[in-house]
Amino acid sequence: MAGSPTEPDDQTIDAVGKLVFALETVEQARGHLYAFHHLTGTADFALGEAVEGLRKAGHPDWADRIQAELIGLNVLADRWTFQVVEEYDDGYYSTFRGMARDVAEDLTGGRLHLHEEQLKRRRRTEGRPGHEMGRPST
């Protein structure tokens, strides 16, 4: 029960829950960043096939231009997508994730999803199969 000696108060649980929600949003953003990385790489390889097709079709000028100007072009100044992903992971993402874990460790005994655990406790049907409480949040 919130506010007991074994659990933090409701305001702390709510605040940590919001922090965890923010972390989960960053996790989604990171997934989109990886999708961006994969899609951009896939497009670059498809361009290579387009260049081959243009050459075979007798359009070497277009093939040469695409080869020289577009294939392998940096997506941002001095960076390909793998470098963007690595910079994000090593900087913002790792800092955010570490901070969320540190806060949860200090304020909720490391339990990231204590808010959801409380929701489950309130919303489940006691004694009904499939509604067991299960292990606590970790």
Side-chain angles (χ1 to χ4, degrees):
M1 169 177 277
S4 73
T6 59
E7 289 197 12
D9 60 84
D10 289 339
Q11 286 181 309
T12 300
I13 291 170
D14 184 58
V16 173
K18 285 178 173 49
L19 176 63
V20 170
F21 179 80
L23 173 61
E24 290 170 353
T25 303
V26 166
E27 292 285 3
Q28 288 180 341
R30 183 173 179 253
H32 289 294
L33 185 59
Y34 273 84
F36 162 74
H37 165 57
H38 291 168
L39 290 169
T40 302
T42 299
D44 192 67
F45 282 108
L47 278 173
E49 293 175 9
V51 165
E52 290 176 30
L54 288 167
R55 284 193 204 293
K56 288 179 184 174
H59 307 287
D61 292 343
W62 281 115
D64 290 345
R65 185 170 173 192
I66 292 170
Q67 178 73 47
E69 295 179 29
L70 195 53
I71 291 179
L73 180 65
N74 289 330
V75 296
L76 296 173
D78 303 321
R79 294 200 280 310
W80 274 18
T81 58
F82 77 91
Q83 292 164 306
V84 174
V85 166
E86 288 178 357
E87 190 173 322
Y88 182 84
D89 277 353
D90 293 344
Y92 184 79
Y93 174 74
S94 65
T95 301
F96 200 124
R97 185 177 165 112
M99 184 72 68
R101 293 211 177 266
D102 290 349
V103 168
E105 186 63 39
D106 184 47
L107 300 178
T108 62
R111 296 160 76 186
L112 289 172
H113 293 93
L114 188 52
H115 176 74
E116 288 89 341
E117 186 178 319
Q118 286 185 330
L119 285 173
K120 181 177 182 178
R121 194 175 297 122
R122 288 193 304 263
R123 295 179 60 86
R124 71 190 189 96
T125 303
E126 182 78 33
R128 184 165 180 86
H131 287 243
E132 298 82 7
M133 194 59 203
R135 295 187 349 242
S137 170
T138 57

